[in-house]
């Protein structure tokens, strides 16, 4: 790394309020050499980063995100906490998606995924240090992916008409607990590779794994739910939200696991979870400039999933097209 032209100074005070790295973060040694401390999209390990304060007053960041865009999105989305009735909440929702559209829906969109993730994190993220610590002991890689899954799930649920803030906050948080049934020591490379292969080719999990690994993969959705009892778990307002964990590897065509349910047996919210988890890779996420273009539209790209899914997809499209009026859940 030779050039510092595209790096900006980052002082420790600004850094301390940042949860997710908005770009790769470096320590510049006296020799000028840049040492990477943290990569874009990572949850920032503040204990680790603060150690560098002894050696320098300032760190450097290669900025990808657009902080004005994030601030605007956060301001719009936060209005949902002030809205006094559903009519206002839907107004906030529509205004927010109108703002997202040119960046994360339109073909000419130039949104950054790190911004998308950061907006939802700033509005909905509610895990305590203790809860984070518990999750980190599972797997950091999964933690990073969870930010993207959580933002996506929450966005799509809002499209379907879920606008209650407490419910959305629960829904956001539950995404971090999907895989807690897998211990870090069980998160072998082969397990991770198999989860990724299964994601792309349903049924592939049955190849290339030892019986023990197979058992871990097959049972982890159930294990994750039972792990939520008594440990450092988020205090969900809506206790039944935990059931969603059971479905995160099911598939709309019935070829998922562990239950192999088909779409007639799944609720819309369960389908949202499935759409998100089958679309986001288990491989290392490396956010780049403009990688959010059409991100939200791509969730509904799959044709040929039957009438029921066409209805679901239409509901999501309607929010972006703002043509039909959408009724509240349960209305
Ligand atoms: Fe999983």
């Amino acid at each position: 790394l030779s050039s510092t032209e595209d790096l900006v100074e980052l002082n420790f005070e600004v850094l301390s309020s940042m949860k997710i790295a908005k770009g790769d973060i470096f320590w510049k040694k006296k020799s000028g050499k840049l040492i990477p401390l943290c990569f874009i999209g990572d949850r920032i390990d503040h204990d680790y980063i603060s150690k560098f304060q002894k050696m320098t007053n300032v760190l450097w960041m290669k900025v990808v995100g657009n902080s004005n865009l994030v601030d605007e999105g956060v301001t719009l989305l936060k209005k949902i906490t002030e809205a006094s009735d559903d009519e206002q909440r839907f107004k906030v929702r529509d205004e927010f998606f109108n703002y997202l559209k040119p960046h994360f829906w339109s073909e000419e969109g130039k949104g950054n995924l790190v911004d998308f993730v950061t907006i939802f994190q700033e509005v909905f993220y509610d895990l305590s240090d203790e809860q984070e610590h518990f999750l980190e002991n599972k797997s950091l890689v999964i933690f990073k992916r969870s930010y993207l899954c959580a933002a996506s799930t929450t966005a799509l649920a809002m499209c379907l008409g879920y606008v209650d803030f407490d419910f959305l906050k629960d829904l956001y948080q539950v995404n971090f607990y999907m895989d807690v049934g897998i211990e870090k020591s069980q998160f072998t490379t082969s397990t991770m590779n198999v989860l990724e292969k299964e994601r792309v080719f349903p049924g592939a999990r049955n190849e290339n794994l030892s019986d023990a690994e197979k058992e871990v993969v097959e049972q982890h959705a159930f294990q994750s739910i039972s792990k939520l009892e008594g440990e450092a778990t988020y205090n969900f307002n809506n206790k039944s939200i935990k059931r969603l964990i059971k479905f995160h590897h099911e598939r709309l065509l019935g070829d998922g696991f562990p239950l192999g349910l088909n779409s007639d047996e799944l609720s819309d919210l369960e389908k949202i979870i499935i759409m998100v988890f089958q679309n986001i890779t288990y491989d290392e996420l490396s956010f780049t400039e403009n990688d959010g273009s059409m991100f939200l539209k791509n969730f509904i790209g799959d044709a040929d999933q039957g009438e029921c899914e066409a209805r679901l997809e239409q509901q999501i499209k309607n929010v972006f097209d703002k043509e039909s009026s959408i009724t509240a859940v349960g209305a």
Side-chain angles (χ1 to χ4, degrees):
L1 285 157
S2 55
S3 165
T4 56
E5 277 167 26
D6 51 353
L7 298 181
V8 297
E9 283 190 12
L10 183 64
N11 69 48
F12 283 91
E13 202 189 320
V14 171
L15 190 58
S16 69
S17 66
M18 212 183 276
K19 277 256 179 224
I20 299 172
K22 293 171 185 177
D24 297 345
I25 297 174
F26 302 91
W27 165 43
K28 200 197 288 186
K29 291 176 80 172
K30 288 216 173 71
S31 66
K33 192 175 178 195
L34 292 167
I35 311 292
L37 305 184
C38 176
F39 295 102
I40 183 168
D42 281 340
R43 174 182 173 273
I44 296 173
D45 183 343
H46 289 284
D47 288 343
Y48 173 68
I49 296 271
S50 65
K51 293 194 169 87
F52 291 85
Q53 224 163 342
K54 286 180 199 140
M55 291 173 290
T56 180
N57 293 324
V58 68
L59 297 174
W60 297 82
M61 180 158 73
K62 187 175 188 295
V63 178
V64 167
N66 176 343
S67 53
N68 290 338
L69 218 94
V70 170
D71 292 347
E72 195 186 333
V74 169
T75 303
L76 282 174
L77 187 50
K78 269 194 178 153
K79 285 188 190 161
I80 212 160
T81 62
E82 294 148 21
S84 56
D85 58 32
D86 270 356
E87 196 186 327
Q88 283 189 26
R89 285 182 203 104
F90 279 103
K91 246 188 208 150
V92 172
R93 192 270 312 258
D94 288 347
E95 219 182 305
F96 177 67
F97 281 89
N98 201 23
Y99 148 86
L100 287 183
K101 184 175 175 174
H103 309 288
F104 303 105
W105 180 269
S106 306
E107 277 172 50
E108 63 279 12
K110 286 197 164 125
N112 306 305
L113 277 187
V114 71
D115 293 340
F116 178 72
V117 163
T118 305
I119 291 166
F120 282 83
Q121 176 260 314
E122 289 201 14
V123 176
F124 292 110
Y125 189 82
D126 196 31
L127 297 176
S128 67
D129 291 349
E130 188 198 7
Q131 289 154 0
E132 283 184 353
H133 192 69
F134 168 72
L135 289 168
E136 270 182 319
N137 283 337
K138 300 298 171 183
S139 171
L140 255 184
V141 182
I142 291 301
F143 202 75
K144 183 176 177 181
R145 178 179 188 257
S146 302
Y147 278 121
L148 185 57
C149 291
S152 307
T153 304
T154 309
L156 295 180
M158 287 177 80
C159 289
L160 290 198
Y162 291 88
V163 290
D164 178 79
F165 182 70
D166 287 336
F167 180 82
L168 291 172
K169 207 162 75 169
D170 276 356
L171 180 65
Y172 182 89
Q173 260 42 246
V174 81
N175 284 270
F176 290 83
Y177 288 90
M178 297 292 177
D179 291 321
V180 295
I182 306 181
E183 292 300 324
K184 205 172 189 175
S185 62
Q186 296 171 325
F187 246 122
T188 58
T189 312
S190 58
T191 302
M192 199 74 110
N193 288 343
V194 160
L195 283 173
E196 176 58 14
K197 202 169 170 196
E198 169 76 22
R199 189 182 72 78
V200 185
F201 307 106
R205 70 186 182 282
N206 296 317
E207 307 157 16
N208 303 326
L209 280 188
S210 69
D211 286 348
E213 287 171 324
K214 229 179 256 182
E215 175 82 4
V216 167
V217 169
E218 198 73 33
Q219 295 300 318
H220 83 273
F222 296 129
Q223 291 297 333
S224 294
I225 292 180
S226 58
K227 273 279 152 61
L228 293 191
E229 308 300 330
E231 292 205 50
T233 301
Y234 183 69
N235 189 13
F236 293 100
N237 251 312
N238 179 334
K239 304 295 174 203
S240 69
I241 201 92
K242 296 174 191 173
R243 79 177 201 286
L244 291 174
I245 293 172
K246 217 174 1 183
F247 304 99
H248 78 281
H249 288 286
E250 297 292 331
R251 303 291 283 235
L252 299 182
L253 297 177
D255 49 0
F257 70 98
L259 297 167
L261 300 175
N262 64 49
S263 77
D264 295 341
E265 299 166 293
L266 294 160
S267 73
D268 285 355
L269 205 51
E270 289 155 8
K271 286 175 191 169
I272 290 291
I273 294 285
I274 292 166
M275 284 158 71
V276 168
F277 279 77
Q278 82 172 53
N279 264 291
I280 296 178
T281 181
Y282 285 89
D283 291 341
E284 181 69 30
L285 290 163
S286 54
F287 297 134
T288 54
E289 203 86 51
N290 304 338
D291 58 353
S293 177
M294 290 182 76
F295 176 72
L296 289 170
K297 192 177 243 165
N298 286 337
F299 282 109
I300 62 163
D302 290 10
D304 200 26
Q305 289 179 340
E307 211 174 298
C308 182
E309 273 55 69
R311 174 186 58 78
L312 207 67
E313 296 190 357
Q314 193 56 50
Q315 271 184 287
I316 295 166
K317 276 185 198 151
N318 286 346
V319 174
F320 286 97
D321 294 346
K322 285 186 83 174
E323 263 160 21
S324 81
S325 62
I326 289 140
T327 48
V329 170

